[in-house]
Amino acid sequence: MADAKLQIIPLGGLGEFGMNCLALRYKDDIIVIDAGLMFPETELLGVDIVVPDISYLVENREKVRAIILTHGHEDHIGGLPWILSELNVPVYGTEFTLAYVEGKLEEHALLDDTELIEITPGARFTLGAFTIEPIRVTHSLVDCVALAIETPVGIVVHTGDFKIDLSPPDGKAFDLHRFAEYGQRGVLCLLQDSTNVDRPGYTPSEWAVKPRLDEIFSRTKKKLFFSCFSSSIYRIRIAMELARVHGRKVAVVGRSMLESSEIAQDLGYIEIPPGLLIHPGQIADHAPEEVMVLISGTQGEPMSALSRAAVDNHKHARIAAGDTVILSSRVIPGNEKSIFRVIDHLCRRDAHVIYDDGASGLIHVSGHASQEEQRLMINLLRPKFFIPIHGDYRHLKKHAEVAQRLGVVDLALTIENGEVLEIDRNDARKTGKVTAGRVCIDSGSTADVVEDLVIRDRRHLSEDGIVLPILTINKLSGKVERQPEVVSRGFVGGEPELMEGARQVVTQTLDNSSDEEKADYGVIKEKIRIDLKRYIQKNTSRRPLIMPVILEI
Amino acid sequence: MADAKLQIIPLGGLGEFGMNCLALRYKDDIIVIDAGLMFPETELLGVDIVVPDISYLVENREKVRAIILTHGHEDHIGGLPWILSELNVPVYGTEFTLAYVEGKLEEHALLDDTELIEITPGARFTLGAFTIEPIRVTHSLVDCVALAIETPVGIVVHTGDFKIDLSPPDGKAFDLHRFAEYGQRGVLCLLQDSTNVDRPGYTPSEWAVKPRLDEIFSRTKKKLFFSCFSSSIYRIRIAMELARVHGRKVAVVGRSMLESSEIAQDLGYIEIPPGLLIHPGQIADHAPEEVMVLISGTQGEPMSALSRAAVDNHKHARIAAGDTVILSSRVIPGNEKSIFRVIDHLCRRDAHVIYDDGASGLIHVSGHASQEEQRLMINLLRPKFFIPIHGDYRHLKKHAEVAQRLGVVDLALTIENGEVLEIDRNDARKTGKVTAGRVCIDSGSTADVVEDLVIRDRRHLSEDGIVLPILTINKLSGKVERQPEVVSRGFVGGEPELMEGARQVVTQTLDNSSDEEKADYGVIKEKIRIDLKRYIQKNTSRRPLIMPVILEI
């Protein structure tokens, strides 16, 4: 017994943002914490979402006891439908988290076959070798927990996403005392949210946006459109309170906003006085100054209600000159172009657009702990080992440095997806790797796993045609699995000899590339494209469109 | 004569960032100010660059007297090769600007056929009805000018890109006096750079980065990699001076960095003491603390020297643990993913990476005027009419508001690409539209005009195949030019009746879309994809990949 070790195996979210998923294994017991998705990089065009590769869990399916959810954000629960369709295990989560999960599973016809078990802060439960206590934490979403996990080698604390909000709008405060008690008992290992490690100081409370929003409500003469993430329940609550105080009826527009506000209302997180809500069809029946439209689409998603309203293409949400539009959210890096496109459309309609541009006052706060909150929790828990979770590699690295410098932690170390960290009471070391990676999904169905593809085209496609080098890369080893194929269409130089030569060019490019380059599809595709372009031009004087396709297996 | 008006016709850069190009017309004389390119949005994958549609100039080719360049940045000169290949007119620019232009035209074999005419601040020249005086301004690049243009209806001032740098490293200061003199004489219309209208206060001088960079140089123990935009001549100059002072030899790595520093040296903007430069092949011969590598690739461009060095794939530039990498540049929105990928690779090699994250001190300054500088120039010139140039619509709108509020300007108004503004001594009004828009270029050739295409694929392509609805949209009218075509490949439901039905679905989607939606390809493609997906699923139960293609004509 004494020689067995605890294995910590991140399957997603370490070395990237999103699709958080981490396994803990002790002998024949595995528990999984969170099952998130990730929204794809622009390079994966056409892919709707990305989920973690769970081959490791599937291979060990008889050992997996359950999936435990820390909270209801997509990057923690969004992968569930795909994971459960391969691995039917019980799912544990708080009341609010499970309400989101239910809707998701119902959509995928998985609800009847899934065992959902509600957990509450302070109520311990046992799964194989693990006894788990959820501890209330605060975040931008409600009903979030950290997990204190008793294992045979010691206690592991997983923070989930958190900030230390001393005045959450629902009064359910961060449980400082429970963390302090665990610190007294002794914590072997802390897995802590790294997201905001770049920010010094403290993250403001969810309440902190109210004064500035109140000012904006006061000054607004015509219709007021309020947009935030649909899961920002606190924000929705504040907006509805302000609407009531300032004499505005509320119309909720956009599917995700409707669903989310209904769940929050059902579970008592938002109290809506009778008569406050109106149907979107009634907006036109009220004077502009008596309406607030709660609308989804802060990130400029092309089909969202706000994007459509911005180009006069929403039946009920119509933007008129002098209306005010508040985007109470951050500009997520990578979404600038679509967000600013929507803002430009709104400006052309002479709407006042208030967004988080650094000069609009405090209209949005982060849900993640800044450095001082991270330090506070580390001081409360005084863990022997410290592992940063959630973030790009530079965040994990910096977070480990921050923790190590405190002088409280014995050893702070970074691990990335697929790495196996073995710990016991004395020691923590990386001992191997398991399969980990990204699986791309077409969200219309549970079966449609799509592969990433970056494609170029040009006007004279019919003249010079198209050439597609297709590679099959083993995700785990990074090795090319078989001879690359090269197919063409409308390319007049596509004789067998030339295509055979093209195959050889691709093989050669791959041979001359490092594993790291092969793992970076942007780089490897560009290399293949350039080499093949040169080869084809030399041999045919033609310039077909070249579209490298990588299939992961 | 008295009834003729001056026409101001922006062809690029108003309502977008990049590809700046603006025509001034008086009767039969047209002059063109700047001929920039734009780096494509991620939606235009595979397209290397985007240039303005110059149909209007081509239609009026016998009237176009010249292209006048304000400075040498790509968004002001990068479109020249494509424009000159359609319209051979003289090009005016300062010595440094023309040095950049020469390299560009040589690459495209256009140098011999192009008349390049050097201009200097203060030296007036006449083109048809226009007499032009270049006025020295400061920016992040050297040898930049604004243009004071005497026209029969009054004086028009075009600022180019500028900030008011009171201590430029080359001592060539912003010409406050000349602007003041024009203000005394009376200015009819000011066209002013809007880029930084969101920033209050003043933009720091190019010198302002030196103290912080000096500290970093002092603290750096091993190799130092310094990366900045290759056109940031002042920055290169400061880095080289610091290298000299701190006893480091300088190796220049990356084609653009090499070219740019050679031009700057030739023209006396950088003085390099003998023995300072070493060949990149000699880096390994020196102790790490005696080397600075000046390297291109601040934006994470996949094939840039820095990106390659970050994955150990550069022959000479090798990153070792403990080396320091300074990215003395901003993170251009849209480039975050590639930049942070490079930074993560560098962090994995235990390099210290210092970039503009808000916590690294002043390692980069903007080249554009903030609000107070904009106001200062407006106060100096006191124009009757004010038109913001360079920026998204929201910037132009805000900039017009800023100018109007000063109480100095009679009328501040926004115009966008293709709109014709007619002005005379008394009045300014929009009177029509000309063709304007974006032309996508494959940079390998002057002839390869490519069209944008966003494509999705999936693993089971062979099973469900691919369907491509292809639209031909008239750029000017936004109208669909002929029946959409729908072609398919590997799609087993591709019978003629079904494809005819698909064509009708696409036509219907287009009929139900506003002109603004049609102009926003992201939106229109997504609508077509969704409608067609529904139609095909209903009729075949299959889920082929659907890739809308838009051809602009």
Side-chain angles (χ1 to χ4, degrees), chain B residues 63 82 142 166 199 255 309 319 346 504 536 541:
Chain B
K63 302 188 181 70
W82 291 273
V142 299
L166 302 173
R199 299 200 194 178
R255 196 180 74 126
I319 313 274
L346 294 169
Q504 284 167 17
I536 290 174
S541 312

PDB file of all heavy atoms in Angstrom, chain B residues 63 82 142 166 199 255 309 319 346 504 536 541:
ATOM      1  N   LYS B  63      -6.661  61.133 -66.380  1.00  0.00           N
ATOM      2  CA  LYS B  63      -6.704  62.291 -65.480  1.00  0.00           C
ATOM      3  C   LYS B  63      -5.757  62.171 -64.286  1.00  0.00           C
ATOM      4  O   LYS B  63      -5.491  63.141 -63.593  1.00  0.00           O
ATOM      5  CB  LYS B  63      -8.133  62.487 -64.949  1.00  0.00           C
ATOM      6  CG  LYS B  63      -9.192  62.683 -66.020  1.00  0.00           C
ATOM      7  CD  LYS B  63     -10.529  63.071 -65.413  1.00  0.00           C
ATOM      8  CE  LYS B  63     -11.604  63.250 -66.487  1.00  0.00           C
ATOM      9  NZ  LYS B  63     -12.022  61.981 -67.126  1.00  0.00           N
ATOM     10  N   TRP B  82       0.720  46.495 -57.416  1.00  0.00           N
ATOM     11  CA  TRP B  82      -0.509  46.095 -58.099  1.00  0.00           C
ATOM     12  C   TRP B  82      -1.171  47.279 -58.772  1.00  0.00           C
ATOM     13  O   TRP B  82      -1.728  47.170 -59.837  1.00  0.00           O
ATOM     14  CB  TRP B  82      -1.431  45.395 -57.095  1.00  0.00           C
ATOM     15  CG  TRP B  82      -0.809  44.087 -56.722  1.00  0.00           C
ATOM     16  CD1 TRP B  82      -0.965  42.915 -57.393  1.00  0.00           C
ATOM     17  CD2 TRP B  82       0.126  43.841 -55.691  1.00  0.00           C
ATOM     18  NE1 TRP B  82      -0.172  41.946 -56.826  1.00  0.00           N
ATOM     19  CE2 TRP B  82       0.507  42.478 -55.785  1.00  0.00           C
ATOM     20  CE3 TRP B  82       0.704  44.618 -54.687  1.00  0.00           C
ATOM     21  CZ2 TRP B  82       1.424  41.894 -54.914  1.00  0.00           C
ATOM     22  CZ3 TRP B  82       1.619  44.035 -53.820  1.00  0.00           C
ATOM     23  CH2 TRP B  82       1.969  42.690 -53.945  1.00  0.00           C
ATOM     24  N   VAL B 142      10.890  56.912 -40.141  1.00  0.00           N
ATOM     25  CA  VAL B 142      11.584  58.171 -40.442  1.00  0.00           C
ATOM     26  C   VAL B 142      11.069  58.780 -41.749  1.00  0.00           C
ATOM     27  O   VAL B 142      10.405  58.103 -42.532  1.00  0.00           O
ATOM     28  CB  VAL B 142      13.108  57.948 -40.556  1.00  0.00           C
ATOM     29  CG1 VAL B 142      13.671  57.421 -39.231  1.00  0.00           C
ATOM     30  CG2 VAL B 142      13.432  56.997 -41.704  1.00  0.00           C
ATOM     31  N   LEU B 166       8.364  65.359 -29.934  1.00  0.00           N
ATOM     32  CA  LEU B 166       9.183  66.540 -29.693  1.00  0.00           C
ATOM     33  C   LEU B 166      10.653  66.193 -29.523  1.00  0.00           C
ATOM     34  O   LEU B 166      11.496  67.071 -29.439  1.00  0.00           O
ATOM     35  CB  LEU B 166       8.644  67.311 -28.484  1.00  0.00           C
ATOM     36  CG  LEU B 166       7.176  67.752 -28.657  1.00  0.00           C
ATOM     37  CD1 LEU B 166       6.635  68.352 -27.375  1.00  0.00           C
ATOM     38  CD2 LEU B 166       7.024  68.732 -29.823  1.00  0.00           C
ATOM     39  N   ARG B 199      -7.322  57.127 -27.554  1.00  0.00           N
ATOM     40  CA  ARG B 199      -6.364  57.368 -26.472  1.00  0.00           C
ATOM     41  C   ARG B 199      -6.347  58.816 -26.027  1.00  0.00           C
ATOM     42  O   ARG B 199      -6.017  59.709 -26.816  1.00  0.00           O
ATOM     43  CB  ARG B 199      -4.944  57.017 -26.927  1.00  0.00           C
ATOM     44  CG  ARG B 199      -4.828  55.584 -27.311  1.00  0.00           C
ATOM     45  CD  ARG B 199      -3.367  55.181 -27.267  1.00  0.00           C
ATOM     46  NE  ARG B 199      -3.220  53.904 -27.941  1.00  0.00           N
ATOM     47  CZ  ARG B 199      -2.072  53.291 -28.121  1.00  0.00           C
ATOM     48  NH1 ARG B 199      -0.956  53.849 -27.685  1.00  0.00           N
ATOM     49  NH2 ARG B 199      -2.017  52.128 -28.727  1.00  0.00           N
ATOM     50  N   ARG B 255      15.024  38.448 -43.298  1.00  0.00           N
ATOM     51  CA  ARG B 255      15.179  39.205 -44.521  1.00  0.00           C
ATOM     52  C   ARG B 255      14.721  40.658 -44.396  1.00  0.00           C
ATOM     53  O   ARG B 255      15.438  41.591 -44.748  1.00  0.00           O
ATOM     54  CB  ARG B 255      14.385  38.525 -45.646  1.00  0.00           C
ATOM     55  CG  ARG B 255      14.781  38.986 -47.025  1.00  0.00           C
ATOM     56  CD  ARG B 255      13.970  38.277 -48.095  1.00  0.00           C
ATOM     57  NE  ARG B 255      12.610  38.791 -48.120  1.00  0.00           N
ATOM     58  CZ  ARG B 255      12.010  39.272 -49.225  1.00  0.00           C
ATOM     59  NH1 ARG B 255      12.642  39.266 -50.367  1.00  0.00           N
ATOM     60  NH2 ARG B 255      10.777  39.727 -49.176  1.00  0.00           N
ATOM     61  N   ALA B 309      13.197  30.267 -34.870  1.00  0.00           N
ATOM     62  CA  ALA B 309      14.133  30.131 -33.749  1.00  0.00           C
ATOM     63  C   ALA B 309      13.420  29.543 -32.528  1.00  0.00           C
ATOM     64  O   ALA B 309      13.994  28.757 -31.777  1.00  0.00           O
ATOM     65  CB  ALA B 309      14.737  31.487 -33.410  1.00  0.00           C
ATOM     66  N   ILE B 319      17.901  29.681 -29.464  1.00  0.00           N
ATOM     67  CA  ILE B 319      17.476  30.147 -28.151  1.00  0.00           C
ATOM     68  C   ILE B 319      17.936  29.145 -27.092  1.00  0.00           C
ATOM     69  O   ILE B 319      17.642  27.953 -27.200  1.00  0.00           O
ATOM     70  CB  ILE B 319      15.941  30.245 -28.071  1.00  0.00           C
ATOM     71  CG1 ILE B 319      15.371  30.961 -29.291  1.00  0.00           C
ATOM     72  CG2 ILE B 319      15.502  30.864 -26.743  1.00  0.00           C
ATOM     73  CD1 ILE B 319      15.319  32.439 -29.245  1.00  0.00           C
ATOM     74  N   LEU B 346       9.008  29.812 -26.628  1.00  0.00           N
ATOM     75  CA  LEU B 346      10.192  30.421 -26.012  1.00  0.00           C
ATOM     76  C   LEU B 346      10.240  30.111 -24.519  1.00  0.00           C
ATOM     77  O   LEU B 346      11.307  29.793 -23.974  1.00  0.00           O
ATOM     78  CB  LEU B 346      10.187  31.938 -26.244  1.00  0.00           C
ATOM     79  CG  LEU B 346      10.346  32.399 -27.708  1.00  0.00           C
ATOM     80  CD1 LEU B 346      10.062  33.895 -27.844  1.00  0.00           C
ATOM     81  CD2 LEU B 346      11.747  32.071 -28.231  1.00  0.00           C
ATOM     82  N   GLN B 504     -31.913  26.966 -55.526  1.00  0.00           N
ATOM     83  CA  GLN B 504     -33.049  27.814 -55.159  1.00  0.00           C
ATOM     84  C   GLN B 504     -32.976  28.251 -53.688  1.00  0.00           C
ATOM     85  O   GLN B 504     -33.332  29.378 -53.353  1.00  0.00           O
ATOM     86  CB  GLN B 504     -34.363  27.085 -55.434  1.00  0.00           C
ATOM     87  CG  GLN B 504     -34.696  27.068 -56.929  1.00  0.00           C
ATOM     88  CD  GLN B 504     -35.814  26.093 -57.261  1.00  0.00           C
ATOM     89  OE1 GLN B 504     -36.544  25.665 -56.371  1.00  0.00           O
ATOM     90  NE2 GLN B 504     -35.934  25.741 -58.531  1.00  0.00           N
ATOM     91  N   ILE B 536     -30.472  20.045 -47.138  1.00  0.00           N
ATOM     92  CA  ILE B 536     -29.849  18.778 -47.551  1.00  0.00           C
ATOM     93  C   ILE B 536     -30.151  17.673 -46.550  1.00  0.00           C
ATOM     94  O   ILE B 536     -30.450  16.537 -46.924  1.00  0.00           O
ATOM     95  CB  ILE B 536     -28.324  18.964 -47.741  1.00  0.00           C
ATOM     96  CG1 ILE B 536     -28.080  19.841 -48.982  1.00  0.00           C
ATOM     97  CG2 ILE B 536     -27.623  17.634 -47.898  1.00  0.00           C
ATOM     98  CD1 ILE B 536     -26.634  20.218 -49.194  1.00  0.00           C
ATOM     99  N   SER B 541     -30.923  13.122 -45.523  1.00  0.00           N
ATOM    100  CA  SER B 541     -30.405  12.645 -44.241  1.00  0.00           C
ATOM    101  C   SER B 541     -28.877  12.613 -44.224  1.00  0.00           C
ATOM    102  O   SER B 541     -28.269  11.926 -43.415  1.00  0.00           O
ATOM    103  CB  SER B 541     -30.915  11.252 -43.887  1.00  0.00           C
ATOM    104  OG  SER B 541     -32.290  11.179 -44.065  1.00  0.00           O
TER     105      SER B 541
END
